[in-house]
Amino acid sequence: MTSTTAAAPEVAPFRLFDLAVLRTRRLGPSILRITLGGPGADGFSGGGRDQSLSVLLPGPGQSEAVVPSGGSGTWHEKWRALPEDVRAVTRSYTVRTQRLRADGFTEVDLDFVLHSTGGPASRWALTAAPGDRLKVLGPAVADNTAVRFRPPADTDWVLIRADETALSAAAAALEWLPAGLPVRVWLEVPRTEDRQALNTAAKARISWLVRNEGASCGVAAVRAAELPGGTPYAWIAGEASGVRALHHHLVRERGFEPARVTSAAYWRRGPGAEQTRPVGAEAGAGAARPERGAAASGARAAGLPVGGRASK
């Protein structure tokens, strides 16, 4: 008799996690870190770098987020089928850090950018307390389409530009980069106290651009910089118009190959602006197309809601 071994069931790359707030900590005037975990984090498996997830928030007048269950179709299709005033509000956030505790439970850090005219995620974060619950649609496998920071193997040096909404992704990417790799980094933050100590084994030259100190924006700073020679990889993220302008500069004026530039528009300027990067977007090159085109298609193909990144 010939014995056979059944194939292991395929693990869906994203699934729903019911997490508990463990603690909160201010990192600066504009940034609040919320640490999530508990038994509901079992199976959470992020890929580091700019790994993103969707937080699912209650709508106005709701005590908890309404999420779909059962039925046929992808999670996104079932979420869209719910009435707009009933279904959960979705926003995308970067996983700043994931770690395994001594007791076997997983902890996940999310950093929230706070503004006086904040959106639903910012308002939730300001009142979050230990024991509060938060549903997230997050990664169950480390190699997933919501990780876009992917320098090709032949990269000689890396360029990173981020504003405060992409700071946690930039910080995580710096921790991931190999020792000795040259990196030029420009980080924009509102206030001096929003600067953070960053850890990296890479050979990083980091420039903090602090708005209340009168610093120039990241686009102007990169334009004025003398960049290294060799084969580059660029990752630029933050407000949409700045991302588009810098992408144009690198590709059209500096001669970067489009395939070696990852652009992510996290938010747009305007009343009630929210971040716009969809979770599950394919790693890609070229100017970001928030909520449309290949990025949104990648999210929907993964069965994820194409919500905004809540920066405010």
Side-chain angles (χ1 to χ4, degrees), residues 231-250:
T231 303
Y233 169 76
W235 181 90
I236 52 180
E239 191 276 324
S241 65
V243 168
R244 286 194 301 270
L246 188 52
H247 178 271
H248 181 276
H249 169 68
L250 293 177

PDB file of all heavy atoms in Angstrom, residues 231-250:
ATOM      1  N   THR A 231      23.665  51.916  -7.858  1.00  0.00           N
ATOM      2  CA  THR A 231      22.281  51.555  -8.169  1.00  0.00           C
ATOM      3  C   THR A 231      21.388  51.794  -6.962  1.00  0.00           C
ATOM      4  O   THR A 231      21.566  51.173  -5.917  1.00  0.00           O
ATOM      5  CB  THR A 231      22.196  50.064  -8.571  1.00  0.00           C
ATOM      6  OG1 THR A 231      23.064  49.831  -9.674  1.00  0.00           O
ATOM      7  CG2 THR A 231      20.773  49.700  -8.979  1.00  0.00           C
ATOM      8  N   PRO A 232      20.406  52.711  -7.078  1.00  0.00           N
ATOM      9  CA  PRO A 232      19.603  53.079  -5.910  1.00  0.00           C
ATOM     10  C   PRO A 232      18.289  52.312  -5.821  1.00  0.00           C
ATOM     11  O   PRO A 232      17.834  51.683  -6.771  1.00  0.00           O
ATOM     12  CB  PRO A 232      19.305  54.556  -6.182  1.00  0.00           C
ATOM     13  CG  PRO A 232      19.132  54.591  -7.686  1.00  0.00           C
ATOM     14  CD  PRO A 232      20.108  53.567  -8.239  1.00  0.00           C
ATOM     15  N   TYR A 233      17.690  52.390  -4.644  1.00  0.00           N
ATOM     16  CA  TYR A 233      16.285  52.033  -4.427  1.00  0.00           C
ATOM     17  C   TYR A 233      15.701  53.134  -3.557  1.00  0.00           C
ATOM     18  O   TYR A 233      16.318  53.535  -2.554  1.00  0.00           O
ATOM     19  CB  TYR A 233      16.129  50.688  -3.724  1.00  0.00           C
ATOM     20  CG  TYR A 233      14.708  50.420  -3.255  1.00  0.00           C
ATOM     21  CD1 TYR A 233      13.717  50.048  -4.154  1.00  0.00           C
ATOM     22  CD2 TYR A 233      14.358  50.558  -1.906  1.00  0.00           C
ATOM     23  CE1 TYR A 233      12.422  49.812  -3.729  1.00  0.00           C
ATOM     24  CE2 TYR A 233      13.060  50.331  -1.478  1.00  0.00           C
ATOM     25  CZ  TYR A 233      12.091  49.948  -2.393  1.00  0.00           C
ATOM     26  OH  TYR A 233      10.796  49.725  -1.976  1.00  0.00           O
ATOM     27  N   ALA A 234      14.531  53.649  -3.942  1.00  0.00           N
ATOM     28  CA  ALA A 234      13.905  54.722  -3.177  1.00  0.00           C
ATOM     29  C   ALA A 234      12.544  54.288  -2.656  1.00  0.00           C
ATOM     30  O   ALA A 234      11.774  53.640  -3.368  1.00  0.00           O
ATOM     31  CB  ALA A 234      13.760  55.975  -4.045  1.00  0.00           C
ATOM     32  N   TRP A 235      12.271  54.661  -1.415  1.00  0.00           N
ATOM     33  CA  TRP A 235      10.952  54.461  -0.794  1.00  0.00           C
ATOM     34  C   TRP A 235      10.522  55.800  -0.260  1.00  0.00           C
ATOM     35  O   TRP A 235      11.182  56.380   0.610  1.00  0.00           O
ATOM     36  CB  TRP A 235      11.054  53.426   0.324  1.00  0.00           C
ATOM     37  CG  TRP A 235       9.761  53.117   1.013  1.00  0.00           C
ATOM     38  CD1 TRP A 235       8.854  52.150   0.676  1.00  0.00           C
ATOM     39  CD2 TRP A 235       9.237  53.771   2.184  1.00  0.00           C
ATOM     40  NE1 TRP A 235       7.799  52.162   1.564  1.00  0.00           N
ATOM     41  CE2 TRP A 235       7.994  53.149   2.493  1.00  0.00           C
ATOM     42  CE3 TRP A 235       9.683  54.809   2.989  1.00  0.00           C
ATOM     43  CZ2 TRP A 235       7.228  53.541   3.581  1.00  0.00           C
ATOM     44  CZ3 TRP A 235       8.907  55.212   4.068  1.00  0.00           C
ATOM     45  CH2 TRP A 235       7.688  54.571   4.347  1.00  0.00           C
ATOM     46  N   ILE A 236       9.413  56.337  -0.804  1.00  0.00           N
ATOM     47  CA  ILE A 236       8.939  57.660  -0.409  1.00  0.00           C
ATOM     48  C   ILE A 236       7.466  57.552  -0.032  1.00  0.00           C
ATOM     49  O   ILE A 236       6.672  56.950  -0.751  1.00  0.00           O
ATOM     50  CB  ILE A 236       9.161  58.690  -1.534  1.00  0.00           C
ATOM     51  CG1 ILE A 236       8.588  58.220  -2.869  1.00  0.00           C
ATOM     52  CG2 ILE A 236      10.646  58.972  -1.696  1.00  0.00           C
ATOM     53  CD1 ILE A 236       8.786  59.202  -4.014  1.00  0.00           C
ATOM     54  N   ALA A 237       7.117  58.138   1.106  1.00  0.00           N
ATOM     55  CA  ALA A 237       5.747  57.976   1.607  1.00  0.00           C
ATOM     56  C   ALA A 237       5.350  59.198   2.408  1.00  0.00           C
ATOM     57  O   ALA A 237       6.175  59.882   3.007  1.00  0.00           O
ATOM     58  CB  ALA A 237       5.643  56.717   2.474  1.00  0.00           C
ATOM     59  N   GLY A 238       4.030  59.454   2.413  1.00  0.00           N
ATOM     60  CA  GLY A 238       3.488  60.571   3.174  1.00  0.00           C
ATOM     61  C   GLY A 238       2.377  61.250   2.411  1.00  0.00           C
ATOM     62  O   GLY A 238       1.596  60.594   1.706  1.00  0.00           O
ATOM     63  N   GLU A 239       2.304  62.584   2.512  1.00  0.00           N
ATOM     64  CA  GLU A 239       1.243  63.348   1.861  1.00  0.00           C
ATOM     65  C   GLU A 239       1.342  63.218   0.346  1.00  0.00           C
ATOM     66  O   GLU A 239       2.429  63.241  -0.231  1.00  0.00           O
ATOM     67  CB  GLU A 239       1.353  64.812   2.296  1.00  0.00           C
ATOM     68  CG  GLU A 239       0.166  65.666   1.912  1.00  0.00           C
ATOM     69  CD  GLU A 239       0.273  66.178   0.491  1.00  0.00           C
ATOM     70  OE1 GLU A 239       1.398  66.483   0.038  1.00  0.00           O
ATOM     71  OE2 GLU A 239      -0.777  66.266  -0.185  1.00  0.00           O
ATOM     72  N   ALA A 240       0.179  63.076  -0.315  1.00  0.00           N
ATOM     73  CA  ALA A 240       0.125  62.666  -1.720  1.00  0.00           C
ATOM     74  C   ALA A 240       0.856  63.599  -2.671  1.00  0.00           C
ATOM     75  O   ALA A 240       1.606  63.150  -3.541  1.00  0.00           O
ATOM     76  CB  ALA A 240      -1.331  62.505  -2.154  1.00  0.00           C
ATOM     77  N   SER A 241       0.658  64.916  -2.534  1.00  0.00           N
ATOM     78  CA  SER A 241       1.282  65.820  -3.496  1.00  0.00           C
ATOM     79  C   SER A 241       2.802  65.812  -3.366  1.00  0.00           C
ATOM     80  O   SER A 241       3.522  65.887  -4.372  1.00  0.00           O
ATOM     81  CB  SER A 241       0.735  67.245  -3.322  1.00  0.00           C
ATOM     82  OG  SER A 241       1.090  67.784  -2.056  1.00  0.00           O
ATOM     83  N   GLY A 242       3.313  65.697  -2.141  1.00  0.00           N
ATOM     84  CA  GLY A 242       4.748  65.613  -1.944  1.00  0.00           C
ATOM     85  C   GLY A 242       5.323  64.325  -2.505  1.00  0.00           C
ATOM     86  O   GLY A 242       6.426  64.310  -3.077  1.00  0.00           O
ATOM     87  N   VAL A 243       4.596  63.225  -2.348  1.00  0.00           N
ATOM     88  CA  VAL A 243       5.038  61.940  -2.893  1.00  0.00           C
ATOM     89  C   VAL A 243       5.111  62.020  -4.418  1.00  0.00           C
ATOM     90  O   VAL A 243       6.085  61.579  -5.040  1.00  0.00           O
ATOM     91  CB  VAL A 243       4.087  60.809  -2.446  1.00  0.00           C
ATOM     92  CG1 VAL A 243       4.355  59.528  -3.233  1.00  0.00           C
ATOM     93  CG2 VAL A 243       4.257  60.549  -0.950  1.00  0.00           C
ATOM     94  N   ARG A 244       4.086  62.599  -5.046  1.00  0.00           N
ATOM     95  CA  ARG A 244       4.091  62.721  -6.504  1.00  0.00           C
ATOM     96  C   ARG A 244       5.253  63.588  -6.985  1.00  0.00           C
ATOM     97  O   ARG A 244       5.942  63.259  -7.951  1.00  0.00           O
ATOM     98  CB  ARG A 244       2.775  63.324  -6.985  1.00  0.00           C
ATOM     99  CG  ARG A 244       1.597  62.382  -6.930  1.00  0.00           C
ATOM    100  CD  ARG A 244       0.422  62.926  -7.723  1.00  0.00           C
ATOM    101  NE  ARG A 244      -0.024  64.224  -7.228  1.00  0.00           N
ATOM    102  CZ  ARG A 244      -0.955  64.386  -6.294  1.00  0.00           C
ATOM    103  NH1 ARG A 244      -1.518  63.311  -5.730  1.00  0.00           N
ATOM    104  NH2 ARG A 244      -1.320  65.590  -5.907  1.00  0.00           N
ATOM    105  N   ALA A 245       5.474  64.723  -6.292  1.00  0.00           N
ATOM    106  CA  ALA A 245       6.542  65.625  -6.707  1.00  0.00           C
ATOM    107  C   ALA A 245       7.912  64.971  -6.583  1.00  0.00           C
ATOM    108  O   ALA A 245       8.765  65.112  -7.477  1.00  0.00           O
ATOM    109  CB  ALA A 245       6.490  66.908  -5.869  1.00  0.00           C
ATOM    110  N   LEU A 246       8.142  64.248  -5.500  1.00  0.00           N
ATOM    111  CA  LEU A 246       9.442  63.619  -5.306  1.00  0.00           C
ATOM    112  C   LEU A 246       9.631  62.451  -6.263  1.00  0.00           C
ATOM    113  O   LEU A 246      10.741  62.235  -6.787  1.00  0.00           O
ATOM    114  CB  LEU A 246       9.604  63.169  -3.855  1.00  0.00           C
ATOM    115  CG  LEU A 246      10.999  62.654  -3.475  1.00  0.00           C
ATOM    116  CD1 LEU A 246      12.085  63.648  -3.874  1.00  0.00           C
ATOM    117  CD2 LEU A 246      11.059  62.353  -1.982  1.00  0.00           C
ATOM    118  N   HIS A 247       8.574  61.704  -6.525  1.00  0.00           N
ATOM    119  CA  HIS A 247       8.665  60.621  -7.499  1.00  0.00           C
ATOM    120  C   HIS A 247       9.061  61.179  -8.870  1.00  0.00           C
ATOM    121  O   HIS A 247       9.933  60.644  -9.557  1.00  0.00           O
ATOM    122  CB  HIS A 247       7.323  59.885  -7.604  1.00  0.00           C
ATOM    123  CG  HIS A 247       7.325  58.791  -8.619  1.00  0.00           C
ATOM    124  ND1 HIS A 247       7.005  59.002  -9.940  1.00  0.00           N
ATOM    125  CD2 HIS A 247       7.623  57.470  -8.504  1.00  0.00           C
ATOM    126  CE1 HIS A 247       7.098  57.866 -10.602  1.00  0.00           C
ATOM    127  NE2 HIS A 247       7.472  56.923  -9.762  1.00  0.00           N
ATOM    128  N   HIS A 248       8.423  62.286  -9.270  1.00  0.00           N
ATOM    129  CA  HIS A 248       8.747  62.928 -10.543  1.00  0.00           C
ATOM    130  C   HIS A 248      10.209  63.360 -10.572  1.00  0.00           C
ATOM    131  O   HIS A 248      10.925  63.155 -11.565  1.00  0.00           O
ATOM    132  CB  HIS A 248       7.825  64.128 -10.755  1.00  0.00           C
ATOM    133  CG  HIS A 248       8.056  64.848 -12.052  1.00  0.00           C
ATOM    134  ND1 HIS A 248       9.030  65.811 -12.210  1.00  0.00           N
ATOM    135  CD2 HIS A 248       7.439  64.728 -13.272  1.00  0.00           C
ATOM    136  CE1 HIS A 248       9.009  66.259 -13.454  1.00  0.00           C
ATOM    137  NE2 HIS A 248       8.054  65.630 -14.112  1.00  0.00           N
ATOM    138  N   HIS A 249      10.668  63.966  -9.474  1.00  0.00           N
ATOM    139  CA  HIS A 249      12.059  64.423  -9.409  1.00  0.00           C
ATOM    140  C   HIS A 249      13.034  63.258  -9.555  1.00  0.00           C
ATOM    141  O   HIS A 249      14.005  63.342 -10.324  1.00  0.00           O
ATOM    142  CB  HIS A 249      12.298  65.148  -8.084  1.00  0.00           C
ATOM    143  CG  HIS A 249      13.741  65.421  -7.810  1.00  0.00           C
ATOM    144  ND1 HIS A 249      14.490  66.310  -8.547  1.00  0.00           N
ATOM    145  CD2 HIS A 249      14.591  64.901  -6.875  1.00  0.00           C
ATOM    146  CE1 HIS A 249      15.735  66.340  -8.089  1.00  0.00           C
ATOM    147  NE2 HIS A 249      15.818  65.502  -7.074  1.00  0.00           N
ATOM    148  N   LEU A 250      12.806  62.179  -8.829  1.00  0.00           N
ATOM    149  CA  LEU A 250      13.740  61.054  -8.859  1.00  0.00           C
ATOM    150  C   LEU A 250      13.767  60.377 -10.223  1.00  0.00           C
ATOM    151  O   LEU A 250      14.844  60.038 -10.740  1.00  0.00           O
ATOM    152  CB  LEU A 250      13.374  60.042  -7.775  1.00  0.00           C
ATOM    153  CG  LEU A 250      13.549  60.513  -6.327  1.00  0.00           C
ATOM    154  CD1 LEU A 250      13.085  59.435  -5.354  1.00  0.00           C
ATOM    155  CD2 LEU A 250      14.990  60.908  -6.035  1.00  0.00           C
TER     156      LEU A 250
END
